[in-house]
Amino acid sequence: MDAQGRGRADNIDPADQWVLNPNTGEYELRLPSSAPQSAVPSPRSGAPRATGSTGGRARGRGTPAPGREVPAQRRRRAAPEEPPAGRRGRRPVKKKSKGKKVLMWTGGTMAFVVLTACTGGYLYLKHLEGNVSTTDVGSAGSSSFKKDEAFNILIIGTDKRTGAGNEGYGDKGSVGHADTTILLHVSKDRSNATALSIPRDLIVDIPDCPTTQEDGTKTVIPGSTGVRFNTSLGESGRDAGCTMRTVKEATGIQPDHFMMADFNAVKTLTTAVDGVEVCVEHAVDDEKSKLKLPAGKSKVEGEQALAFVRTRHAFGNEGDLDRIKVQQQFLGSLMRKMSSSDTLTSPSKLVKLAEAATKALTVDSAIGNVGTLKDIALELKKVPTKNITFTTVPVKDNPAEKVKATVVVNEATAPQVFDMIKNDISFTEVKQKQKKEAAAVAARLKGEKSDPAEVRVRILNGGAPAGSAQKELAYLQTEAGVTKSENAGNAPAEVAKTTLEYDPAQADEARRLADILGLSGSAMKPGESVTNAQGLPTMTLTLGKDFKGAGVKLNAASMETPDVEKSTADKVQCAS
């Protein structure tokens, strides 16, 4: 659907609906005279809005005073008295930003947080909700958004050309392929996030995809093997749910939700914030994209911003992987701009941003309502930009091609990247909040530690992914020196937390294993040991649902990453 024409009820600029009350020094939302007047209670008093003709405030919202003509969009309050109780609004943002940031495609939802506190905000939020298009992806995603869990949002930028002036970009007949795709993982504790770019030319297998057609009927679109990732959307009628399933197939990571926008979104979002600062090491004059920039820093918006993120010929080796790096740098800059005080303290910019973002977005049905979008924005705001990591799926040239045009997953480095995201491990160093343990519990970690070769332990899987016990056994035996270890299969029941049960006489062994595994004192359970096949006392390690992977310490909020290029959203970088 054309982003330009969706959800537009009239030609009134929403930014003009915010007016300053000179009596209170506060901004108030004024609906146009054609808008329905609501009896929604005011956030301050809970009283219904006045709709009578007496009182300057009530008359100013609808009909002008008798004998006086007032322009519809420039009406001012007629009476200087204090407004009646329950009608006062609050200026959308008066406090300075605490440095918490929100990503590009959901940037407009920042305004939701502001507007819900304002007079008439409910009506405007429902208007914004009407701007957003939704797609039913069925079992490809989660049925609801959970605020107390880690979550993965698949952000899809399509090459569909909507909006005036976009005729020169992308495939003229494109139905909207997955041109730019980022899997955004937000950690459970909101201390960090990872934005994983997926190359459009990555060779993948696309699974069979159940889809809901426009007429409500359901059909299954057959999958394909050994094809470009970008064909997971649009090709043969595939929807965003097919792209979500393809990501799960290729990475093992389950996307919970998706947000999709086309070329026009870059233009409208950057215009809404009055431009985004970019930096280039060398002057750019690209005839194909019409991008012209001097060396150093520049501000781009609208058409120029779209040219910046679309060009393939101005940077690096003119390939898609170098374009991804430029896009990541651009997104980091856009985040910083959207969360700056210049944006957050401007009601007009916030409203324009909300309008631009919601009109550009298509999301899955589970998050297509105003309350859920607001919740997502609030959770994203908690993540510091210094801990938002941009990286790309590790790839290598497709060995099946003589002329290199596509790439395949690099099996040497990609699995660890995927595992870190699946196990909610940060790519940056973050300070993990530790609960103080009772002295007696903490004391379990203090004292002598046995040599690893003297540690005797059996491993049970009590809720970790299938095969975890065997993988941890291999790590302990080959890398940690715990040679007297064995795989004892599945535990009788699943447990949330990994535990180590041992006889007090084995405390030295328990402390050594706790050090290797990163166990807390509360995870150590003094009790009874069991005997192994040789009749020797053996500790029991039960891997719980918190198990993060073989060799990964349980107390690690972050770990050393493989040799992959990465950057963070707080750093200014120059494209080359």
Side-chain angles (χ1 to χ4, degrees):
M1 184 179 292
D2 192 322
Q4 294 275 28
R6 189 167 55 219
R8 186 179 298 277
D10 49 46
N11 294 321
I12 296 173
D13 185 350
D16 288 339
Q17 298 180 24
W18 289 102
V19 294
L20 179 66
N21 186 336
N23 302 315
T24 64
E26 296 174 331
Y27 280 84
E28 296 166 349
L29 181 64
R30 179 193 59 213
L31 296 178
S33 57
S34 59
Q37 300 304 304
S38 171
V40 177
S42 163
R44 286 198 176 186
S45 71
R49 293 188 176 87
T51 58
S53 60
T54 60
R57 288 294 300 268
R59 184 169 58 243
R61 290 291 297 257
T63 306
R68 183 184 178 192
E69 292 185 1
V70 182
Q73 292 305 306
R74 291 290 179 254
R75 189 177 303 138
R76 294 188 178 275
R77 308 301 182 201
E81 69 266 22
E82 180 72 9
R87 292 300 307 277
R88 181 183 297 175
R90 284 187 289 175
R91 186 170 182 167
V93 175
K94 297 184 77 174
K95 296 181 179 179
K96 293 184 178 180
S97 168
K98 295 182 179 180
K100 307 302 185 181
K101 320 302 181 190
V102 181
L103 279 172
M104 170 183 173
W105 302 111
T106 55
T109 58
M110 290 174 64
F112 293 170
V113 181
V114 176
L115 294 172
T116 50
C118 300
T119 301
Y122 175 80
L123 291 177
Y124 186 60
L125 292 180
K126 297 305 290 183
H127 157 72
L128 291 178
E129 183 175 303
N131 288 346
V132 181
S133 295
T134 61
T135 298
D136 180 7
V137 298
S139 61
S142 298
S143 59
S144 62
F145 174 73
K146 299 178 180 179
K147 294 191 288 185
D148 56 350
E149 296 290 340
F151 62 91
N152 301 315
I153 295 181
L154 191 65
I155 302 168
I156 307 171
T158 79
D159 56 5
K160 190 173 183 178
R161 305 181 311 168
T162 64
N166 294 327
E167 294 79 5
Y169 296 100
D171 179 3
K172 182 177 181 180
S174 177
V175 294
H177 296 112
D179 189 63
T180 298
T181 307
I182 296 175
L183 179 64
L184 173 66
H185 170 79
V186 181
S187 69
K188 182 176 181 178
D189 64 4
R190 308 302 186 242
S191 67
N192 66 91
T194 302
L196 180 71
S197 292
I198 303 174
R200 54 167 291 167
D201 296 325
L202 177 68
I203 296 299
V204 296
D205 293 339
I206 300 175
D208 293 345
C209 179
T211 62
T212 301
Q213 305 300 300
E214 290 185 3
D215 60 3
T217 60
K218 298 183 182 296
T219 187
V220 176
I221 301 175
S224 303
T225 59
V227 295
R228 279 180 166 87
F229 174 80
N230 70 328
T231 61
S232 65
L233 179 70
E235 198 83 2
S236 303
R238 294 183 178 119
D239 62 11
C242 299
T243 309
M244 295 171 74
R245 295 177 192 274
T246 303
V247 170
K248 174 66 182 300
E249 182 82 11
T251 67
I253 304 168
Q254 174 65 62
D256 298 304
H257 306 285
F258 85 87
M259 293 183 175
M260 181 168 66
D262 56 32
F263 286 163
N264 209 53
V266 177
K267 295 169 63 173
T268 57
L269 285 174
T270 54
T271 300
V273 295
D274 290 340
V276 174
E277 185 178 89
V278 297
C279 180
V280 295
E281 290 189 0
H282 308 287
V284 174
D285 188 357
D286 180 16
E287 293 183 359
K288 293 188 176 181
S289 68
K290 306 296 189 284
L291 178 65
K292 292 185 178 182
L293 292 175
K297 295 180 180 179
S298 300
K299 187 173 77 169
V300 297
E301 66 177 277
E303 194 73 37
Q304 196 176 33
L306 180 56
F308 184 83
V309 298
R310 286 291 303 156
T311 181
R312 283 172 174 262
H313 306 285
F315 309 111
N317 61 7
E318 302 186 6
D320 187 55
L321 296 180
D322 286 299
R323 186 181 67 154
I324 286 175
K325 296 176 188 176
V326 173
Q327 290 172 345
Q328 291 173 347
Q329 294 163 10
F330 177 84
L331 286 174
S333 181
L334 181 58
M335 288 181 215
R336 294 190 295 272
K337 181 60 180 288
M338 289 195 305
S339 60
S340 67
S341 58
D342 179 56
T343 299
L344 293 178
T345 57
S346 170
S348 61
K349 286 184 181 178
L350 283 172
V351 172
K352 288 178 181 177
L353 188 56
E355 290 283 342
T358 53
K359 287 177 182 177
L361 281 178
T362 298
V363 303
D364 57 288
S365 301
I367 62 173
N369 62 80
V370 66
T372 304
L373 289 174
K374 183 188 72 173
D375 288 342
I376 292 174
L378 286 169
E379 296 306 307
L380 289 172
K381 281 186 67 180
K382 297 176 183 178
V383 184
T385 51
K386 67 178 182 180
N387 290 332
I388 299 177
T389 301
F390 289 105
T391 190
T392 304
V393 171
V395 296
K396 59 184 180 181
D397 288 335
N398 187 352
E401 295 177 335
K402 291 184 179 179
V403 178
K404 304 304 179 185
T406 61
V407 293
V408 296
V409 170
N410 187 337
E411 295 296 343
T413 52
Q416 185 179 346
V417 171
F418 300 155
D419 284 345
M420 289 178 67
I421 293 175
K422 284 189 290 185
N423 293 308
D424 200 22
I425 299 174
S426 175
F427 283 69
T428 58
E429 292 186 9
V430 295
K431 294 182 179 180
Q432 195 176 39
K433 296 179 180 179
Q434 300 285 354
K435 294 183 179 179
K436 292 184 178 180
E437 296 181 300
V441 174
R444 297 171 188 170
L445 296 170
K446 299 177 181 179
E448 296 294 327
K449 300 181 182 69
S450 299
D451 185 272
E454 298 303 318
V455 174
R456 189 177 288 107
V457 62
R458 64 175 191 148
I459 306 170
L460 296 175
N461 190 333
S468 294
Q470 186 58 39
K471 291 178 181 178
E472 185 70 358
L473 174 67
Y475 166 76
L476 289 175
Q477 290 186 339
T478 61
E479 298 187 45
V482 184
T483 55
K484 297 177 181 178
S485 50
E486 59 184 278
N487 182 355
N490 292 326
E494 291 189 353
V495 294
K497 301 291 185 181
T498 297
T499 60
L500 177 63
E501 187 174 2
Y502 59 98
D503 186 279
Q506 298 170 304
D508 290 3
E509 296 178 38
R511 283 190 286 268
R512 173 57 66 189
L513 193 59
D515 182 61
I516 294 172
L517 301 178
L519 294 177
S520 64
S522 60
M524 300 174 67
K525 306 295 183 182
E528 297 181 357
S529 62
V530 297
T531 55
N532 61 13
Q534 292 75 38
L536 299 173
T538 303
M539 298 185 295
T540 299
L541 174 67
T542 303
L543 304 180
K545 294 180 180 180
D546 62 339
F547 180 70
K548 296 182 176 182
V552 181
K553 291 193 174 186
L554 286 163
N555 62 358
S558 58
M559 60 181 287
E560 185 176 350
T561 60
D563 186 19
V564 295
E565 287 192 52
K566 59 181 181 178
S567 60
T568 53
D570 63 321
K571 300 292 177 59
V572 177
Q573 293 185 307
C574 292
S576 59

